Amino acid sequence: MTDKLIIFDTTLRDGEQSPGASMTKDEKVRIAKALERMRVDVIEAGFPIASVGDFDAVKAVATAVKDSRVCGLSRALDADIDRAGEALKDANASRIHTFIATSPIHMQMKLRMEPDQVIENAVRAVKRARQYTDDVEFSPEDAGRSETDFLCRILEAVIDAGATTLNIPDTVGYNLPSQFGSLISTLRERIPNADKAIFSVHCHNDLGLAVANSLTAVMNGARQVECTINGLGERAGNAALEEVVMAVRTRQDMFTCDTNIDTQHILAASRLVSGVTGFVVQPNKAIVGANAFAHESGIHQDGVLKNRETYEIMRAEDVGWNTNRMVLGKHSGRNAFRSRLQELGIELDSETDLNAAFTRFKELADKKHEVFDEDIQALVTDTITTADERVKLISLKTCSETGEIPVATVTLLVDGTEIQQQMTGGGPVDATYKAIEAIVQSHTELQLYSVSNITTGTDAQGEVNVRLEKAGRIVSGQGADTDIVIASAKAYINALNKILTPVDRAHPQV
Ligand code: KIV
Ligand code: ZN
């Protein structure tokens, strides 16, 4: 008999806690819709008390998503729980996830609370959350370094208080698989009312063990895994959803459970998250990396051609590679464009967004013979992120010639006023960035600049990723264009628009 393994995606909450990965409300809704389409069971949409923006984003996701349960995070504090309850009130199915730290070091140094006080707070939080929803998850933060006896006490108490899911986080990614697996089976055996709740795990990847720890926990009875697309998350990230799902699906001989995930949408979700956050997927990343199904060596290619199972344990099409790859061109009409968007799982909010994306598509198709799925994904990201920005690119002219100093002339619309600046630089990108900075005077530091091709060929769009830092705040920006200097300007302006929007945002674990 196969049990259900619940997939709880926290890309929009823990994933967003990666420095530079913050997302707008619209971006969160787009990602949530992609997760819903993939049949993710629970979507953790954010930490509503963190800021007004976070509250609005959780509320927007709760309204937009119908088939997945939408969850909001809260510390074990009344105000947090009330805010989460309020943000989730329009959800079809909601969950409040409340947490408090339980390891000796966190209780003494961070909370400055005695263990009994921690239990009292946890119980009160769960009871309060139950006033908003009958689906309440409790996490003893830093469970991976907590004392087992204390975990048993607090978990028994929160089940009695009404918690329906007990999530065991390895917050600092310290555990080894055998140790983490034993912790799950010990808790299940020793907690007298353990059968009244579902055990979940939430593993961080500091030692590269997040997926291994999650899978061992599943083998020891956990029936929910918390994970993120592309393994995004604090520091080294969380367990990667695509790896957990495909490991369980591929090795059904080893697991007594399976997920509901429609794996064919995995690649599209991975690309969407990477495009929105600017966190590029490494080529050798399992499942979603460009080389994950590529066979370089002659011996492998020969084997795969004779019988693919010689070297392939999964089918590339099952996770969304090469499926229905239709190329659009300059003669493709609005309907073809619209239906391709639907097939890619891209839902635009309004006809205005669709028109803007279609105009961009036509411009691109004029420059480029064939427009691929990756191009469409990039142009939609570009179009949507230009919605309410303070700085807009009006025009850019660069001049570079052997033996001459490159010059860039940039015209921007800043808060409605058109301003032009000309600067020289080491190269056309450098000159462009200096001209933009001379206009905007953001005083930010450029921490990362990278350019990659979206598809192959010299007519491919270049995709530029930048990361800017100001007073400890890090943002990323993306831009795509067949001209990489223009793509560079778009990426820089995209990041500037984020950094120019002040945010006063609380971090849940600090
Ligand atoms: O890593 C962690 O402990 C968390 C909790 C809030 C569940 O993200
Ligand atoms: Zn976490």
Side-chain angles (χ1 to χ4, degrees):
M1 215 178 56
T2 307
D3 281 356
K4 160 114 184 258
L5 177 61
I6 297 167
I7 292 295
F8 175 114
D9 180 280
T10 182
T11 307
L12 303 179
R13 197 279 296 171
D14 212 318
E16 203 201 19
Q17 285 173 213
S18 319
S22 65
M23 305 165 213
T24 65
K25 181 175 84 179
D26 291 348
E27 288 167 345
K28 284 192 169 189
V29 171
R30 275 177 65 211
I31 293 175
K33 296 294 284 176
L35 297 173
E36 179 184 36
R37 193 167 126 101
M38 211 164 55
R39 296 211 293 261
V40 160
D41 301 287
V42 187
I43 299 173
E44 188 165 52
F47 176 45
I49 196 130
S51 68
V52 174
D54 286 62
F55 176 88
D56 289 344
V58 175
K59 198 172 167 54
V61 171
T63 313
V65 166
K66 295 287 167 248
D67 298 334
S68 309
R69 190 172 284 279
V70 180
C71 175
L73 182 71
S74 67
R75 291 165 296 190
L77 298 172
D78 291 355
D80 282 37
I81 293 161
D82 295 346
R83 200 76 177 133
E86 175 66 22
L88 294 167
K89 78 173 190 301
D90 297 327
N92 242 5
S94 66
R95 171 178 294 185
I96 294 181
H97 175 191
T98 186
F99 75 98
I100 190 164
T102 51
S103 61
I105 183 168
H106 276 230
M107 290 193 289
Q108 283 158 25
M109 312 300 290
K110 183 174 95 167
L111 299 176
R112 297 182 200 280
M113 277 187 199
E114 291 302 319
D116 283 346
Q117 276 179 290
V118 171
I119 297 183
E120 247 172 62
N121 279 276
V123 165
R124 206 185 47 236
V126 169
K127 286 188 176 156
R128 195 168 183 103
R130 281 294 301 242
Q131 292 171 9
Y132 292 97
T133 170
D134 56 10
D135 190 322
V136 174
E137 172 170 326
F138 173 75
S139 292
E141 189 193 2
D142 204 16
R145 292 188 299 168
S146 300
E147 285 162 5
T148 308
D149 285 350
F150 184 60
L151 283 178
C152 289
R153 273 181 64 209
I154 193 165
L155 293 174
E156 181 182 349
V158 294
I159 298 173
D160 279 344
T164 45
T165 300
L166 304 178
N167 178 46
I168 311 302
D170 182 18
T171 303
V172 291
Y174 178 69
N175 281 223
L176 301 181
S178 57
Q179 178 190 19
F180 198 61
S182 310
L183 174 64
I184 301 302
S185 63
T186 306
L187 294 175
R188 290 182 60 231
E189 272 159 31
R190 285 191 34 200
I191 298 172
N193 48 3
D195 60 323
K196 301 211 164 44
I198 289 175
F199 277 78
S200 164
V201 288
H202 174 111
C203 298
H204 279 272
N205 207 27
D206 300 66
L207 293 173
L209 293 170
V211 171
N213 284 342
S214 304
L215 295 175
T216 317
V218 172
M219 288 175 164
N220 283 280
R223 285 296 174 264
Q224 173 177 288
V225 173
E226 300 201 354
C227 43
T228 57
I229 301 288
N230 301 336
L232 200 68
E234 284 265 20
R235 304 180 309 278
N238 289 69
L241 177 148
E242 61 278 8
E243 295 177 22
V244 170
V245 167
M246 289 315 289
V248 173
R249 184 71 48 89
T250 307
R251 296 307 308 270
Q252 277 292 290
D253 56 326
M254 299 296 289
F255 290 93
T256 54
C257 56
D258 197 6
T259 70
N260 256 356
I261 295 295
D262 182 347
T263 60
Q264 292 210 353
H265 299 302
I266 284 180
L267 186 64
S270 160
R271 287 196 174 140
L272 176 61
V273 170
S274 165
V276 163
T277 58
F279 279 58
V280 177
V281 173
Q282 77 204 49
N284 59 331
K285 164 83 178 63
I287 321 292
V288 291
N291 290 353
F293 294 90
H295 296 277
E296 178 75 30
S297 98
I299 296 173
H300 285 201
Q301 282 177 0
D302 182 54
V304 170
L305 287 175
K306 286 179 178 143
N307 178 339
R308 61 191 300 166
E309 283 174 25
T310 47
Y311 286 100
E312 273 188 13
I313 57 163
M314 295 167 275
R315 288 160 15 117
E317 329 45 308
D318 290 348
V319 294
W321 288 97
N322 312 326
T323 42
N324 206 7
R325 195 183 158 91
M326 193 173 87
V327 178
L328 297 182
K330 66 193 249 182
H331 299 298
S332 306
R334 236 174 101 87
N335 281 343
F337 180 69
R338 188 201 291 268
S339 68
R340 195 68 202 126
L341 287 180
Q342 271 161 7
E343 279 154 18
L344 289 170
I346 301 172
E347 282 182 35
L348 296 180
D349 275 355
S350 61
E351 278 299 300
T352 322
D353 279 350
L354 178 71
N355 289 341
F358 185 62
T359 308
R360 295 285 286 270
F361 160 72
K362 280 291 192 190
E363 283 164 12
L364 182 63
D366 262 345
K367 293 187 207 156
K368 208 172 170 279
H369 190 52
E370 292 170 315
V371 179
F372 295 94
D373 292 350
E374 295 87 331
D375 290 317
I376 295 176
Q377 261 150 341
L379 79 81
V380 169
T381 302
D382 239 30
T383 312
I384 291 185
T385 50
T386 52
D388 38 39
E389 48 196 19
R390 285 182 58 191
V391 183
K392 281 189 176 37
L393 178 67
I394 302 284
S395 69
L396 165 63
K397 185 175 157 202
T398 52
C399 185
S400 63
E401 197 182 330
T402 39
E404 297 295 328
I405 296 173
V407 187
T409 311
V410 176
T411 310
L412 301 180
L413 194 67
V414 183
D415 294 328
T417 309
E418 209 172 293
I419 311 175
Q420 193 178 72
Q421 216 12 294
Q422 192 175 72
M423 295 296 273
T424 55
V429 174
D430 187 40
T432 302
Y433 279 23
K434 283 184 173 141
I436 295 173
E437 185 53 28
I439 298 172
V440 178
Q441 309 220 355
S442 70
H443 308 294
T444 49
E445 192 192 320
L446 181 67
Q447 284 197 333
L448 175 124
Y449 169 86
S450 82
V451 56
S452 53
N453 49 332
I454 290 181
T455 55
T456 51
T458 47
D459 68 347
Q461 288 196 93
E463 184 173 53
V464 175
N465 271 299
V466 298
R467 198 166 293 175
L468 298 182
E469 194 260 351
K470 186 175 181 180
R473 182 165 163 231
I474 298 173
V475 299
S476 66
Q478 295 75 45
D481 202 282
T482 46
D483 179 323
I484 58 164
V485 184
I486 296 177
S488 304
K490 285 180 179 174
Y492 192 52
I493 292 169
N494 178 234
L496 281 177
N497 275 310
K498 292 184 189 169
I499 216 138
L500 291 177
T501 313
V503 281
D504 183 13
R505 191 172 197 209
H507 184 293
Q509 287 153 285
V510 178

